[in-house]
Amino acid sequence: MGELIFIGLGLYDEKDISVKGKEIVKDADIVYSEFYTSHLVGTDFDKIQDEMDVEIQVLDREGVEQEALPIQEAQEKIVIFLTAGDPMAATTHVDLRLRAEEKGVRTKVVHSSSIFSAAPSILGVQHYKFGKTITLPFFEGKESYPESPYDGIRDNKELGLHSLILLDINGEEKKFMTVNEGVKALMHMEEEQSNRVITEDTVVAGLARVGSSEPELRAGYPEDILNHDFGGGLQCMVVFGGLHFMEIESLIAFADAPESIGEE
Amino acid sequence: MGELIFIGLGLYDEKDISVKGKEIVKDADIVYSEFYTSHLVGTDFDKIQDEMDVEIQVLDREGVEQEALPIQEAQEKIVIFLTAGDPMAATTHVDLRLRAEEKGVRTKVVHSSSIFSAAPSILGVQHYKFGKTITLPFFEGKESYPESPYDGIRDNKELGLHSLILLDINGEEKKFMTVNEGVKALMHMEEEQSNRVITEDTVVAGLARVGSSEPELRAGYPEDILNHDFGGGLQCMVVFGGLHFMEIESLIAFADAPESIGEE
C-alpha cells in the first residue's frame, strides 16, 4: 500500500531539512517537489537533488492542483512531496492532502523549521507575544491598498501584541517583496487610515535570509528601516506591540536597534 | 575566536535536528545540552549522543543560569548549545545569548521544527488564523486558576482567531500536563468566569506526540476530548475561533472531528 509524505525543506537552503526527512526521502519510490508557492533562496535545484541523493521531479501548479500526480502515484508507492519551509503552510498543500485522504491514500507530515517560529527566535523576542500573522500582498496595478493588513496590526497592537508580517512572494517569477517596500506600504496605509498604528515611534524590524548563517536583521523606527539595505533574499517584518525589558535588550543586541526604543 | 551556536533539536526525537545542525555539531569543540526547560519525548540521551556522534555534556539550571558554562568556553572555542524544539523559545536561552554577546562572544542560531508551526500544520488549519499563544500552568497547590489564559482565549475568539495552548512542562520531574487536564482546567475557568469562551459548542483539538510518525490528534467539542486517551508524551491543545470550510474538512479528515462541527 502506498503513502504520501509531505516533507518540509525548512527555511533557507538544502541542509535545513531534518535528518528524519532526509532519511525518508532516501527510502521513497518517487520524490516530487514544487517551487511555485515558495522557494529556497539559499540553494538551487541541483544542490537540493545532490543533498537528497535522489531524482526529484518538479511539479508546476497544474501538476499539483489539476492532475494531482502525487496522489495518483501514492495509491501504490511511497511518494514524497517536498516543499520549502513548513510543508503545510500553503493552502494548496492542505488541499492535496485532503484529496489524498479522500482517495484512501495514507498521508504523513514531516515538519521543518518555519518563519512562524524562527522570526521571534532570531530576534530574541517572545513567541507568545505574537498575535495574528499578517500577509502584505503586492500592490502594483491596484487602485488602493487593502485594509485588512493594517486592521490586523491595529488589532494586535491594541492587545499589546507583536505582528509577524509575511511579505508577498511570486514564486513563479521568483519575485519577493522587500522590507523597504513593506515599510513604505505600511506608511502609506497609515496616511490613508490615520489610526496611529504605524507612527514614527512604532518599533518595527526587518529580517532577511532567516535560516542562513548571515541573516540581516534591523530593528528601529520606520525611518531607520525604510532605506536600510537588507541585501536581497526572502524578507519579512515585525511590527511590535508592547516590548518587555528583555525584548528591548534583544533588539538592541541582535538587531542593531537604537537604544532609544527603551525610553518610553 | 570562539562562537556560541544555539541549535534546535526539533519536536520529537534525535532525528528532528536539521542536516545543517547535525553537521555543525560534528565540527564543534564542545557540545552542551539542557533538558530542564523542555525534553524530547521520543528519544533518550544516549540516542541523541549516538545520532550526533559526539560527547554531549548535560547542564542543569545552575550550569546554564548561574555558571553560564557555555559562555566561558565560547571565548576561545566553538561551543554548541543543543535544546529541544526551537532553540530560542525559552527565555533562559535568550538570556544566555544576551550575556554571551555582552561578553563579546559571537552567537548564532540554527532553527528547527517547533510546535508553533507544527500544530497548525498537522491539523491542516491556517497558520495566519492563530492569535496569541496561551500557556496553561499546573494548578496543583494553588487556590484558584489564573485568569490570563482564559482572557487570552477570549481575546482571540473575539477576533475570530484560534488559540494554540501550550500545556505546562516540568522538565526536571519529566511531568507533562495532558490534554484531558487542560480541557478540565478550561471548563473550570468557564464555570468561574462565565463569559461563554469555552462552551459545549466550542471546537477544540488535542494533540499528542507531534513530530512523531504516529501523532494522536482529536478535534471536537470539549466533551469529546475530555476523556479521550491521547496516550502520553508531550501534548498541546487548540481552541478554535471561526473555522473556514477547508479547516472543517481538515479537522474531520485528520483529527477525527464529528461532522457536526460544520453545521453552524
Side-chain angles (χ1 to χ4, degrees):
Chain A
M1 194 186 140
E3 196 169 15
L4 177 57
I5 309 176
F6 294 83
I7 301 183
L9 285 166
L11 279 164
Y12 184 70
D13 64 30
E14 74 280 0
K15 291 181 192 290
D16 283 328
I17 190 171
S18 67
V19 170
K20 183 185 285 175
K22 188 178 165 183
E23 286 183 6
I24 294 173
V25 168
K26 278 215 193 316
D27 292 336
D29 297 315
I30 303 184
V31 183
Y32 287 111
S33 189
E34 69 81 3
F35 297 102
Y36 66 86
T37 65
S38 190
H39 182 70
L40 289 187
V41 171
T43 189
D44 58 38
F45 178 71
D46 290 337
K47 283 186 193 159
I48 297 172
Q49 207 166 229
D50 285 354
E51 178 67 35
M52 303 300 150
D53 202 16
V54 294
E55 196 193 315
I56 301 174
Q57 299 180 46
V58 179
L59 298 176
D60 59 12
R61 193 181 287 273
E62 202 192 331
V64 177
E65 296 180 7
Q66 306 300 320
E67 302 168 37
L69 292 171
I71 300 176
Q72 294 175 32
E73 297 285 359
Q75 298 284 348
E76 305 283 334
K77 294 175 178 160
I78 305 295
V79 176
I80 307 294
F81 190 57
L82 281 177
T83 62
D86 181 285
M88 299 324 257
T91 313
T92 181
H93 304 160
V94 177
D95 181 60
L96 187 68
R97 190 176 170 212
L98 278 169
R99 287 183 290 152
E101 292 267 342
E102 258 169 41
K103 295 245 157 103
V105 170
R106 200 165 62 158
T107 64
K108 271 188 195 157
V109 178
V110 180
H111 303 280
S112 192
S113 53
S114 155
I115 195 66
F116 293 99
S117 169
S121 274
I122 196 73
L123 291 170
V125 296
Q126 296 178 327
H127 291 68
Y128 70 84
K129 286 188 57 187
F130 279 74
K132 175 186 163 71
T133 299
I134 308 295
T135 307
L136 264 194
F138 283 119
F139 299 109
E140 296 110 76
K142 292 177 189 158
E143 297 232 333
S144 66
Y145 290 79
E147 294 185 5
S148 62
Y150 184 88
D151 293 346
I153 298 168
R154 186 199 56 212
D155 289 344
N156 285 337
K157 276 189 84 177
E158 280 173 1
L159 295 168
L161 300 175
H162 312 325
S163 304
L164 172 63
I165 300 179
L166 302 181
L167 302 172
D168 208 358
I169 298 172
N170 183 326
E172 272 146 349
E173 294 179 25
K174 295 191 182 172
K175 232 178 76 182
F176 312 109
M177 190 189 291
T178 65
V179 172
N180 308 138
E181 291 171 312
V183 174
K184 210 174 292 174
L186 292 178
M187 289 168 93
H188 190 97
M189 289 174 187
E190 181 61 47
E191 269 177 40
E192 282 187 350
Q193 299 204 41
S194 301
N195 285 320
R196 298 197 57 73
V197 172
I198 309 293
T199 72
E200 57 187 18
D201 295 328
T202 303
V203 181
V204 301
L207 305 86
R209 299 179 304 285
V210 175
S212 77
S213 61
E214 303 267 317
E216 179 67 22
L217 311 174
R218 182 74 175 236
Y221 305 109
E223 283 292 338
D224 301 326
I225 311 301
L226 185 60
N227 295 308
H228 182 73
D229 181 6
F230 286 89
L234 200 52
Q235 308 189 3
C236 68
M237 293 175 59
V238 175
V239 175
F240 293 98
L243 283 162
H244 179 269
F245 174 73
M246 193 188 279
E247 293 183 311
I248 290 169
E249 269 197 275
S250 289
L251 293 181
I252 293 169
F254 308 139
D256 211 14
E259 306 243 340
S260 58
I261 67 166
E263 290 162 9
E264 277 166 73
Chain B
M1 194 184 140
E3 195 170 17
L4 177 56
I5 309 175
F6 294 83
I7 301 182
L9 285 165
L11 280 164
Y12 185 70
D13 64 30
E14 73 281 0
K15 290 181 193 290
D16 284 328
I17 190 171
S18 66
V19 170
K20 183 185 286 175
K22 189 177 162 183
E23 286 183 5
I24 295 173
V25 168
K26 277 214 194 316
D27 292 335
D29 297 315
I30 303 184
V31 182
Y32 287 111
S33 189
E34 69 81 3
F35 298 102
Y36 66 85
T37 64
S38 188
H39 182 69
L40 289 187
V41 171
T43 189
D44 58 37
F45 178 71
D46 291 339
K47 282 186 192 158
I48 296 173
Q49 206 166 230
D50 286 354
E51 178 67 34
M52 303 300 146
D53 201 17
V54 295
E55 197 192 315
I56 300 174
Q57 300 180 46
V58 180
L59 297 176
D60 59 11
R61 192 179 288 273
E62 203 192 331
V64 177
E65 296 180 6
Q66 305 299 319
E67 302 168 38
L69 292 172
I71 300 176
Q72 294 174 31
E73 297 286 359
Q75 299 282 350
E76 305 284 332
K77 294 173 179 159
I78 304 296
V79 177
I80 307 293
F81 190 56
L82 281 176
T83 62
D86 180 287
M88 297 326 259
T91 312
T92 181
H93 304 160
V94 177
D95 181 59
L96 187 67
R97 190 175 170 214
L98 278 170
R99 286 183 291 151
E101 293 267 344
E102 259 168 42
K103 295 246 157 103
V105 170
R106 202 165 60 159
T107 63
K108 272 190 195 154
V109 178
V110 179
H111 303 281
S112 191
S113 52
S114 154
I115 195 66
F116 294 99
S117 170
S121 275
I122 196 74
L123 291 170
V125 296
Q126 296 178 328
H127 291 69
Y128 71 83
K129 285 187 58 186
F130 279 74
K132 177 185 161 74
T133 300
I134 309 294
T135 307
L136 265 192
F138 283 120
F139 300 108
E140 295 110 77
K142 293 178 187 158
E143 297 232 331
S144 66
Y145 291 79
E147 294 185 4
S148 60
Y150 183 88
D151 294 344
I153 298 168
R154 186 199 57 212
D155 289 343
N156 285 337
K157 276 188 83 177
E158 281 174 2
L159 294 169
L161 301 175
H162 312 325
S163 303
L164 172 64
I165 299 177
L166 302 181
L167 302 171
D168 208 358
I169 299 172
N170 184 328
E172 270 146 351
E173 293 179 26
K174 293 190 185 175
K175 232 178 76 182
F176 313 109
M177 190 188 290
T178 64
V179 171
N180 308 139
E181 291 171 311
V183 174
K184 210 174 291 172
L186 293 179
M187 290 168 91
H188 189 97
M189 289 174 189
E190 182 61 47
E191 269 176 40
E192 283 187 350
Q193 299 203 42
S194 302
N195 285 320
R196 298 195 57 72
V197 172
I198 309 293
T199 73
E200 57 189 16
D201 295 327
T202 303
V203 181
V204 301
L207 304 86
R209 300 179 305 287
V210 174
S212 77
S213 61
E214 304 267 317
E216 180 67 21
L217 310 175
R218 183 73 176 239
Y221 306 110
E223 282 293 336
D224 300 327
I225 312 301
L226 186 60
N227 296 308
H228 181 74
D229 181 6
F230 286 90
L234 200 51
Q235 307 188 4
C236 67
M237 294 176 59
V238 176
V239 176
F240 293 98
L243 283 162
H244 178 270
F245 174 72
M246 192 187 279
E247 293 183 312
I248 291 169
E249 269 198 274
S250 289
L251 294 180
I252 294 169
F254 308 137
D256 211 13
E259 305 243 342
S260 58
I261 66 166
E263 291 164 8
E264 277 167 73

